[in-house]
Amino acid sequence: MPSPVPVLTIDGPSGAGKGTVSRLAAMRLGWHYLDSGALYRAVGVAASWADLDLSDPAALVRCTFDTAIEFHDGPAGLRVLVNGTDATDELRLETTGTLASAIAAIPEVRAALKERQRAFRREPGLVADGRDMGTVIFPDATAKVFLTASAEERARRRHNQLKEKGVSVTFDGLLREILARDARDAQRAVAPLKPADDAILIDTTGLSIDEVVDRVLALVPARTD
Ligand code: C5P
């Protein structure tokens, strides 16, 4: 029997460096990449475009099924189209993250996105980045990593990123948002943010991106078939 397509899962709280580390790891392995947070963000954006009531789970579940989400890798990086419209910039907004986190607490929304996420598992392999990649979506993953970093460090990184983009936000405000989002993600009843029992924890505080990527890749066994 052929061995299943290998998957490396990288979970952790927002700002731990998952996105950058996952993209670089996927590039070095020559594997596909799933940014599962972008799916939740895309549903959030579609819901806000449609002016949906966030306290109406049925409407949000319908919206999850109806929203077309496409990823395009181009010279300007990964672009995300939501219902045919380029929503890449709107997707990265802090307000979209908060919206995504509220929507992600609805069990039927999570269920509706399950198969879409699993469809990314294709040869020669997949690096999947999110909150429940190792626990719920790919429990049989080849290697599982849980990245952490202190909340202050995560707020500092995010602050620097936004400053570079010319977006003005206060450090304290960012730290508050990060702590609130962590709490919501960790406390929700379905697929709460927590490391899989067999995940390797890496604290990225004080480590360079390259050091983290090297540590992560050292966990991926070479394929023998
Ligand atoms: O990773 P990112 O910050 O883009 O995710 C946005 C939000 O989507 C998270 O705060 C979380 O609530 C939700 N999410 C999730 N499960 C995932 C990925 C993201 O619940 N696998």
Side-chain angles (χ1 to χ4, degrees):
M1 216 173 65
S3 53
V5 176
V7 183
L8 163 63
T9 58
I10 304 187
D11 289 305
S14 51
K18 283 177 299 155
T20 312
V21 169
S22 304
R23 261 191 306 276
L24 288 172
M27 215 140 68
R28 292 223 337 233
L29 290 163
W31 288 5
H32 301 282
Y33 168 54
L34 165 63
D35 173 1
S36 63
L39 298 177
Y40 289 95
R41 286 170 183 263
V43 174
V45 164
S48 106
W49 287 348
D51 231 354
L52 295 185
D53 179 356
L54 290 185
S55 58
D56 179 356
L60 294 169
V61 172
R62 254 194 323 275
C63 173
T64 307
F65 279 112
D66 291 347
T67 304
I69 308 164
E70 295 163 70
F71 293 90
H72 289 281
D73 213 356
L78 196 66
R79 312 295 302 174
V80 187
L81 303 192
V82 177
N83 292 330
T85 300
D86 189 335
T88 314
D89 295 337
E90 192 170 343
L91 240 55
R92 300 294 4 136
L93 295 176
E94 226 37 52
T95 46
T96 305
T98 302
L99 190 58
S101 149
I103 287 177
I106 303 170
E108 294 88 348
V109 166
R110 305 197 71 82
L113 287 177
K114 214 178 226 182
E115 286 316 312
R116 274 207 208 184
Q117 295 175 84
R118 291 186 174 151
F120 280 80
R121 186 175 193 168
R122 294 191 312 268
E123 292 287 0
L126 175 70
V127 178
D129 142 11
R131 304 292 187 289
D132 61 343
M133 297 296 98
T135 48
V136 176
I137 305 298
F138 303 109
D140 64 334
T142 324
K144 300 181 184 178
V145 174
F146 193 87
L147 290 188
T148 57
S150 69
E152 286 75 15
E153 168 95 6
R154 290 184 280 131
R156 205 162 23 247
R157 287 178 191 163
R158 189 81 185 117
H159 195 226
N160 289 340
Q161 264 175 6
L162 292 173
K163 245 190 356 216
E164 273 169 31
K165 283 193 208 153
V167 182
S168 104
V169 283
T170 67
F171 174 83
D172 288 349
L174 270 179
L175 181 60
R176 261 199 311 277
E177 268 176 45
I178 283 181
L179 289 172
R181 186 129 70 95
D182 282 358
R184 195 166 40 228
D185 288 350
Q187 284 158 16
R188 68 179 172 223
V190 185
L193 171 66
K194 67 165 188 336
D197 291 339
D198 49 352
I200 304 291
L201 260 67
I202 301 178
D203 185 339
T204 68
T205 312
L207 292 182
S208 72
I209 296 284
D210 285 339
E211 282 170 320
V212 180
V213 174
D214 286 343
R215 285 192 197 191
V216 167
L217 290 180
L219 300 171
V220 180
R223 216 165 166 180
T224 50
D225 59 353

